[in-house]
Amino acid sequence: MIPGAFDYVRPSSLEGALTALRAAGDDGKVIAGGQSLLPLLRLRLAYPEILVDLGSVPELSGVRDEGSSLLVGAMTTHYDVLRDPLIHQHAPLVAAATATVADPAVRHRGTFGGSLAHADPAGDLPAVALAMDAVFVTSSREIPASEFFSDYLTSALEPDEVLLGVRLPKSYAGWGFHYEKFHRTAQAWAIVGVACLVQRSNGEISAARIGLTNMGSTPIRASAVEQAVTGGAANREAFRAAAESAAEGTSPPSDLHGSAEYRRHLVTVLTARALSKAASV
Amino acid sequence: MTAAPEIGSARLRSEDARLITGQTNWTDNIQLPGLLHVAFLRSPVAHGRITRIDAEPARGRPGVIAVFTGADFADEQGSLPTAWQVTEDMVLPDHPPVAVEEVRYVGEPVAVVVARDRYLAADALEAIDVDYETLPPVLDMDEAIKEGADLVHADKGTNKSYEWVFAAGDIDAAFRDAPVVIERRYVQQRLIPAAMEPRAVVCSVVGDEYTLWSSTQIPHVLRLMLATVTGIPEHRLRVIAPDVGGGFGSKLQVYGEEVACLLLAKRLGRPVKWTESRSEGNASVHHGRDQIQRLSLAAEADGRIRGLKVDLLADMGAYLMLITPGIPLLGAFMFNGIYKMDAYHFTCSGIFTNKTPTDAYRGAGRPEATFAIERLMDELASELSLDPLEVRRRNWITHEEFPYDTIAGLTYDSGNYEAATEKAHRLFEYDKLRAEQADRRERGDPVQLGIGISTFTEMCGLAPSRVLGSLAFGAGGWEHASVRMLPSGKVEVVTGSSAHGQGHETAWAQIAADRLGVPFEDVRVLHGDTSISPKGMDTYGSRSLAVGGVALYNACEKVIDKARRMAAHMLEADEQDIEFANGTFSVRGVPDQVRTVQEVSLATFLAHDLPEGFEPSLDSDATHDPANFSFPHGTHLCAAEVDTETGFVKLRSYVAVDDIGKVVNPLIVEGQVHGGLAQGIAQALYEEAVYDADGNLTTTTMADYLLPAATDLPTFTTDRTETPATTNPLGVKGVGEAGTIASTPAVVNAIVDALRPYGVADVPMPCTPERVWRACRAGGAQEAGRAGGPEHSPRPGAGGGLGSAGGEA
């Protein structure tokens, strides 16, 4: 649990951070809250030569109202996300998922952007971002969530590209929401998680968006379930039937906490439950 | 003036402020001039021959002072000791602190780096080049004992260290024509002790005087053993256990790292420090449990037990450490639990595997035994369609029958199982929960309710020296205490018990204050340093209070006896007429003629006017050797909600009624019970050391070796009944392990009880959601007692990218 040697810079401006990253090339790594990266360093699973700390870049923290969307600064801590009234008003699913992240100590240090950029399919926020069609605003472009998560622990970010913030559309006003997280202990990662948004009208589901945690090397949309529930009755039987296809197109891992087979079963149960809770039935 | 009695008072622990705020010396905090830092290179293979080590590149790394391999130490490192020769022909392999020719488990030290700081030492490890010729690893105990099996120690010709048998009564008769026979195979999974403070060692040498600081439970035993292993004369070696952050048995050990640090300090003439990382510790701290239990219980049709057969395979790991072979045998006398039976037959085979050595872990042998008998009692109840409490009632020793000689040869001095059970039954609202269970079953609720019972006892207060002698244990079981009466009236207590989180400084001060009649604040308790506390047998096996506390009690009595004579002299009265109460000596019938113990103490110090032939000191010491074990018992009831769709188990309520005899500090008892419950529940639900097919430990981080936090546990309802121990003057029994021993079977019984309608007779531990779900699905097709399963995947990978962390330190 002792990291190898690395250099460390803490620039006070975005330009400074970008310059440092460009100079470092493939040997540089951005550090935000460090709650995912530091364990990798301490276990010597990652050997960056220079860490570029964004902690002193002022414009990266906080939640901003942009009219039709919110822009959550990449360096906003989970704790600050949880306390933000704009998040609760316009993106309560984000608040619900963030509340399940690890423990209070981690939530005080860990950041919204860092957690997403880490692109861990077992993390709670990637599935939420995917379900919400969030947009990743970087130092050079905007990347839709559907293109951001490219592989296990791999995002579309280039080595010299910095995630500035994440745009969350306000278009889910009035939708039901729920994040169903299944884990063995409160501080553990999700074995499977289901992020769910549903729009109800006249006892039916008129639209649904479901993101799955830890069901593959990236977060995955449960498109088959979304289609199956849309236009159908908002009741538990219908949800259960629709959720039968929740494992379609997934390739979950097998590890100490659950086999792939178990995860494929679990995701059907949890998706049905998430739908019921999101639709309040 | 009569103060409230100190014994029984729920005092806040006086040591907590410094422990909680870190205002203390943990071993890793110790700084010495010129201190060097040590890192161990550890074997990445489970079994292999070291064909080449090239340490030169590491020697050239910045800040590196020295690198040594096992071969460099071979002449003086000796073999790590085993203090328990359980059979005459026990196979006891050499155990070099640093491997020389062969490695036998992943994590075994193969080389050691000394550098200017900890980081440089860790970096240099990567520059040591080792070639291994891998040998086939022995990982499965059933396979290990087959003819022609690969061998952990080729020169020994066998993987079996010993076979130990105990028999009482006519076991064949008990099973012949028995109306009911229950046969089960249970697995006690391998556990990794996770003390909050990892192991740490600091060693310095000045001239020929050695000082070793270690995060250990056993400074006294360690000193003797290190002297024996290294040849450093015992009187030149001082061992200090500063504040120690937990042990749970894992620091009841003589570790290779401790020996290596002594050798390094000696060779380099400079102080050295080693502190393990958590993942390093997971692979190299001794592990616990790991038994395969084959059990047969014969009973009458009415549920009365006729006999019990126990056949154990106990995993020793790659080597025998301090008391490795004896651990499963501590359970030999406990499989009968609180029950009467006519015959009992116990066999245990100690098996070598290419895994980390096992040794004592909270409960040490007794949790395994208690699990087996308490699970069997539930199975018997199910077989006979009886309430599991009723089956227990029909078999347990009733309170009128004490003292009771058990089939396993122990004499239980006292107990009242009826009273503890009645109280637990009421607090739990047993009948109400049974009604809810019936209702959920009726409705086919996907979340079923189960009730788990554990009516346990345990043997504590290790141990009467004559018993240890009869078991060929390498030491006695006494404990030492001394009391120093200072001239100012203050008191210093020196104990051979070695606190590592339990609260001895508070409890011992309460005992001394109570017996001597001095204020609690006037007592200071000293421990954990062989120069300050020269005699001791240290802390493990719930022995501190029942042995060390009694030693202190006896030492206090001696002080008072001396002081009574001095007081009589001061009061010009006959010694027989002196009464002592609340710290005051008085002459019977003359209540205004008094001397306080402080006045007597000062007068003795001055020594100007002493009774004829009186030695001018009240100081006293006592060494107590218990006449018998003590036998705490209790009834634990657990209600579990089992989600049959996901396999998730939620503990809804937990009632623990413990009878630990007299209590010195109820708050400390409460803490011990809570912590013990968490640990026992964790065995049932969360913890398991998992090795892959090559013998790599995959649970090297907290992400994969799951421990519960407060949020994962129910609110415990704890209460006590009080049947004093009759074999010591304090009436105490010990509480350090009770919660752990009792709770594991209570939880598994609850899960199985919930799933009986699904045809489930067992869920292997830890009862992970997947295993519970599979048990539900397999239902009646399930082979009773089958452990493990094809679903078992040894890959780590909880998330966060930590999944490939296996074996890294």
Side-chain angles (χ1 to χ4, degrees):
Chain A
M1 297 288 272
I2 297 195
F6 55 83
D7 284 331
Y8 172 87
V9 292
R10 190 179 172 100
S12 55
S13 70
L14 181 60
E15 206 37 60
L18 290 169
T19 305
L21 282 171
R22 271 183 224 116
D26 285 346
D27 299 325
K29 183 80 186 163
V30 168
I31 183 166
Q35 300 304 290
S36 302
L37 183 58
L38 283 180
L40 296 182
L41 297 184
R42 289 164 62 91
L43 290 163
R44 300 198 171 210
L45 295 170
Y47 287 85
E49 292 195 355
I50 180 162
L51 291 186
V52 180
D53 189 335
L54 299 181
S56 291
V57 180
E59 62 264 40
L60 299 184
S61 286
V63 179
R64 209 161 63 224
D65 194 333
E66 292 192 322
S68 62
S69 60
L70 299 180
L71 183 69
V72 184
M75 291 296 288
T76 313
T77 64
H78 299 304
Y79 176 73
D80 285 336
V81 166
L82 276 173
R83 286 196 315 169
D84 196 285
L86 288 170
I87 293 283
H88 281 275
Q89 190 183 345
H90 301 292
L93 176 61
V94 168
T98 301
T100 73
V101 170
D103 54 42
V106 170
R107 291 196 292 269
H108 272 81
R109 304 254 348 149
T111 66
F112 188 73
S115 163
L116 287 164
H118 189 54
D120 183 356
D124 300 298
L125 298 177
V128 172
L130 191 66
M132 292 182 72
D133 266 343
V135 174
F136 290 74
V137 182
T138 81
S139 50
S140 53
R141 56 188 167 143
E142 298 199 350
I143 310 170
S146 58
E147 292 167 23
F148 185 78
F149 303 103
S150 38
D151 204 345
Y152 181 69
L153 302 185
T154 310
S155 75
L157 290 170
E158 298 294 332
D160 60 352
E161 188 175 14
V162 170
L163 178 64
L164 306 180
V166 178
R167 191 166 286 141
L168 302 174
K170 287 185 181 172
S171 49
Y172 306 108
W175 289 44
F177 66 92
H178 184 72
Y179 184 64
E180 182 78 15
K181 181 173 182 174
F182 189 88
H183 46 172
R184 287 173 62 194
T185 59
Q187 289 164 307
W189 276 272
I191 296 175
V192 173
V194 180
C196 182
L197 286 162
V198 291
Q199 187 178 38
R200 288 184 63 177
S201 55
N202 305 324
E204 290 190 348
I205 297 299
S206 48
R209 310 187 63 88
I210 301 168
L212 303 179
T213 298
N214 216 5
M215 285 299 290
S217 57
T218 64
I220 295 170
R221 280 278 287 278
S223 312
V225 182
E226 292 175 1
Q227 284 161 24
V229 290
T230 303
N235 62 49
R236 290 186 179 209
E237 291 68 36
F239 293 155
R240 251 198 298 273
E244 286 301 318
S245 52
E248 237 174 61
T250 65
S251 51
S254 272
D255 60 36
L256 285 175
H257 303 299
S259 67
E261 182 196 4
Y262 175 60
R263 283 185 162 94
R264 275 193 287 267
H265 159 77
L266 208 49
V267 76
T268 64
V269 176
L270 301 179
T271 300
R273 290 181 184 179
L275 282 164
S276 296
K277 287 175 186 162
S280 306
V281 296
Chain B
M1 181 200 79
T2 304
E6 274 297 337
I7 291 181
S9 161
R11 278 195 175 276
L12 292 176
R13 303 187 346 160
S14 36
E15 52 270 75
D16 279 351
R18 75 166 192 273
L19 297 179
I20 291 169
T21 59
Q23 301 289 308
T24 185
N25 257 346
W26 307 108
T27 300
D28 188 49
N29 295 142
I30 291 168
Q31 297 297 336
L32 298 171
L35 186 68
L36 299 173
H37 295 261
V38 175
F40 288 91
L41 183 71
R42 295 177 182 279
S43 172
V45 301
H47 196 188
R49 206 164 284 127
I50 301 169
T51 54
R52 188 184 68 96
I53 299 190
D54 183 5
E56 265 328 291
R59 291 194 176 101
R61 292 290 281 260
V64 171
I65 305 295
V67 182
F68 298 104
T69 65
D72 297 329
F73 280 153
D75 291 343
E76 57 176 333
Q77 68 175 345
S79 181
L80 293 176
T82 299
W84 203 337
Q85 171 98 27
V86 298
T87 60
E88 278 183 19
D89 58 352
M90 180 180 86
V91 173
L92 175 59
D94 278 346
H95 185 187
V98 181
V100 180
E101 293 170 347
E102 196 168 322
V103 289
R104 295 187 175 86
Y105 67 94
V106 169
E108 185 170 358
V110 294
V112 52
V113 170
V114 186
R116 279 205 320 272
D117 73 36
R118 196 182 177 195
Y119 292 83
L120 296 170
D123 286 345
L125 292 179
E126 297 183 349
I128 302 174
D129 198 15
V130 188
D131 290 341
Y132 298 94
E133 176 197 340
T134 57
L135 299 167
V138 178
L139 301 169
D140 180 291
M141 284 195 280
D142 283 321
E143 293 296 322
I145 53 174
K146 286 183 181 162
E147 195 66 32
D150 295 319
L151 295 173
V152 178
H153 298 276
D155 59 320
K156 300 298 182 191
T158 177
N159 286 320
K160 189 186 275 196
S161 173
Y162 67 85
E163 183 173 295
W164 193 92
V165 178
F166 177 89
D170 187 342
I171 196 73
D172 293 331
F175 277 80
R176 197 176 305 128
D177 307 322
V180 183
V181 174
I182 309 262
E183 296 191 319
R184 293 291 184 270
R185 178 182 183 273
Y186 294 138
V187 174
Q188 297 288 324
Q189 78 271 33
R190 181 175 274 254
L191 302 176
I192 304 177
M196 202 177 287
E197 183 202 15
R199 289 178 299 155
V201 182
V202 172
C203 188
S204 84
V205 53
V206 177
D208 60 354
E209 303 282 339
Y210 291 82
T211 305
L212 181 110
W213 291 261
S214 183
S215 177
T216 181
Q217 296 173 226
I218 53 161
H220 301 92
V221 175
L222 186 60
R223 179 199 198 197
L224 172 60
M225 290 294 167
L226 287 175
T228 308
V229 171
T230 63
I232 294 169
E234 189 182 354
H235 63 302
R236 300 286 178 219
L237 175 59
R238 175 184 183 186
V239 174
I240 302 173
D243 274 328
V244 174
F248 309 111
S250 73
K251 295 173 184 172
L252 163 51
Q253 192 54 273
V254 178
Y255 279 109
E257 292 88 349
E258 290 164 327
V259 174
C261 284
L262 264 176
L263 299 179
L264 290 169
K266 186 178 173 186
R267 284 205 179 191
L268 301 170
R270 288 180 65 177
V272 297
K273 179 195 283 185
W274 169 72
T275 300
E276 76 183 349
S277 73
R278 183 63 69 181
S279 37
E280 181 182 26
N282 274 15
S284 59
V285 74
H286 75 238
H287 291 177
R289 312 282 194 275
D290 207 339
Q291 279 185 4
I292 298 171
Q293 309 176 319
R294 289 184 178 81
L295 310 160
S296 308
L297 180 108
E300 306 288 356
D302 65 1
R304 278 181 299 132
I305 303 170
R306 294 171 64 155
L308 175 65
K309 277 193 276 201
V310 176
D311 186 4
L312 300 185
L313 295 182
D315 194 342
M316 307 284 97
Y319 301 97
L320 303 185
M321 295 193 72
L322 189 59
I323 51 172
T324 300
I327 295 304
L329 309 185
L330 285 172
F333 310 99
M334 287 279 108
F335 275 87
N336 51 308
I338 63 169
Y339 309 112
K340 296 178 276 192
M341 58 188 73
D342 304 323
Y344 172 54
H345 191 276
F346 173 94
T347 309
C348 175
S349 298
I351 309 299
F352 292 114
T353 61
N354 287 112
K355 297 182 186 175
T356 302
T358 60
D359 209 318
Y361 180 56
R362 202 172 190 174
R366 292 154 288 161
E368 298 92 313
T370 303
F371 180 89
I373 187 65
E374 289 305 303
R375 284 285 295 113
L376 285 178
M377 294 308 281
D378 264 36
E379 294 300 303
L380 179 60
S382 169
E383 180 75 21
L384 297 173
S385 300
L386 286 169
D387 186 288
L389 275 178
E390 179 56 28
V391 163
R392 287 168 169 84
R393 271 189 206 105
R394 290 182 190 183
N395 284 287
W396 69 36
I397 301 156
T398 62
H399 71 275
E400 304 93 345
E401 294 175 287
F402 289 94
Y404 184 88
D405 295 330
T406 73
I407 192 72
L410 297 177
T411 302
Y412 291 179
D413 65 303
S414 67
N416 190 332
Y417 309 137
E418 302 96 314
T421 302
E422 193 278 327
K423 195 173 219 177
H425 188 275
R426 183 162 41 80
L427 290 169
F428 190 65
E429 301 190 284
Y430 187 87
D431 296 332
K432 202 168 144 187
L433 284 167
R434 281 282 180 220
E436 180 183 331
Q437 177 183 51
D439 178 58
R440 285 186 191 238
R441 285 180 179 176
E442 177 81 23
R443 284 189 287 118
D445 193 325
V447 179
Q448 289 287 313
L449 183 68
I451 294 172
I453 296 161
S454 176
T455 48
F456 79 104
T457 189
E458 54 155 334
M459 50 195 253
C460 279
L462 307 181
S465 295
R466 69 182 159 77
V467 177
L468 293 178
S470 73
L471 292 170
F473 186 73
W478 46 264
E479 191 50 271
H480 185 76
S482 57
V483 176
R484 297 202 286 254
M485 302 301 291
L486 306 181
S488 62
K490 310 300 183 193
V491 179
E492 283 178 338
V493 165
V494 181
T495 174
S497 300
S498 194
H500 45 284
Q502 294 90 343
H504 291 67
E505 288 171 32
T506 306
W508 268 224
Q510 287 182 258
I511 293 171
D514 189 281
R515 302 316 301 165
L516 301 173
V518 301
F520 170 82
E521 293 75 14
D522 286 359
V523 184
R524 176 151 184 254
V525 179
L526 303 166
H527 60 86
D529 178 339
T530 57
S531 286
I532 290 171
S533 157
K535 270 184 87 168
M537 289 302 293
D538 306 316
T539 287
Y540 47 86
S542 304
R543 71 189 306 273
S544 283
L545 185 57
V547 190
V550 173
L552 174 57
Y553 178 98
N554 292 343
C556 290
E557 294 303 297
K558 289 184 185 178
V559 169
I560 296 304
D561 283 348
K562 290 183 193 175
R564 178 178 282 111
R565 190 163 164 225
M566 183 68 187
H569 182 72
M570 293 165 76
L571 293 163
E572 297 176 346
D574 197 72
E575 196 180 333
Q576 275 72 46
D577 294 332
I578 298 293
E579 292 179 328
F580 177 69
N582 302 315
T584 303
F585 294 91
S586 59
V587 182
R588 187 173 296 118
V590 194
D592 54 339
Q593 279 261 56
V594 299
R595 291 290 184 277
T596 65
V597 69
Q598 290 89 347
E599 287 166 344
V600 175
S601 186
L602 180 61
T604 306
F605 169 76
L606 293 171
H608 297 162
D609 181 11
L610 299 175
E612 182 68 27
F614 190 82
E615 196 177 311
S617 172
L618 300 180
D619 296 355
S620 299
D621 48 359
T623 304
H624 175 63
D625 196 347
N628 190 2
F629 296 96
S630 55
F631 299 96
H633 70 83
T635 297
H636 288 213
L637 298 173
C638 172
E641 291 177 3
V642 181
D643 185 334
T644 58
E645 292 177 343
T646 64
F648 191 80
V649 174
K650 182 186 170 208
L651 301 188
R652 185 160 106 188
S653 60
Y654 195 103
V655 170
V657 175
D658 287 294
D659 193 324
I660 55 163
K662 289 283 184 188
V663 166
V664 172
N665 183 323
L667 205 57
I668 290 178
V669 166
E670 186 82 359
Q672 287 287 340
V673 171
H674 278 236
L677 293 178
Q679 219 153 354
I681 290 169
Q683 180 179 3
L685 295 180
Y686 304 117
E687 296 187 38
E688 182 177 29
V690 180
Y691 285 83
D692 70 13
D694 297 323
N696 295 304
L697 180 69
T698 55
T699 47
T700 57
T701 73
M702 292 298 198
D704 285 315
Y705 191 83
L706 281 198
L707 296 172
T711 40
D712 302 304
L713 298 166
T715 300
F716 301 130
T717 304
T718 59
D719 207 332
R720 287 185 283 108
T721 54
E722 193 172 295
T723 315
T726 62
T727 54
N728 68 64
L730 280 168
V732 297
K733 300 181 184 172
V735 69
E737 295 159 300
T740 308
I741 290 169
S743 56
T744 310
V747 172
V748 178
N749 276 340
I751 294 167
V752 173
D753 183 56
L755 300 179
R756 292 260 184 222
Y758 294 74
V760 172
D762 190 34
V763 179
M765 294 190 292
C767 303
T768 64
E770 176 160 2
R771 286 177 176 169
V772 172
W773 170 70
R774 284 187 185 279
C776 291
R777 281 209 321 177
Q782 188 194 17
E783 185 191 328
R786 192 176 64 88
E791 89 285 5
H792 195 81
S793 164
R795 270 196 54 206
L802 304 181
S804 49
E808 287 287 330

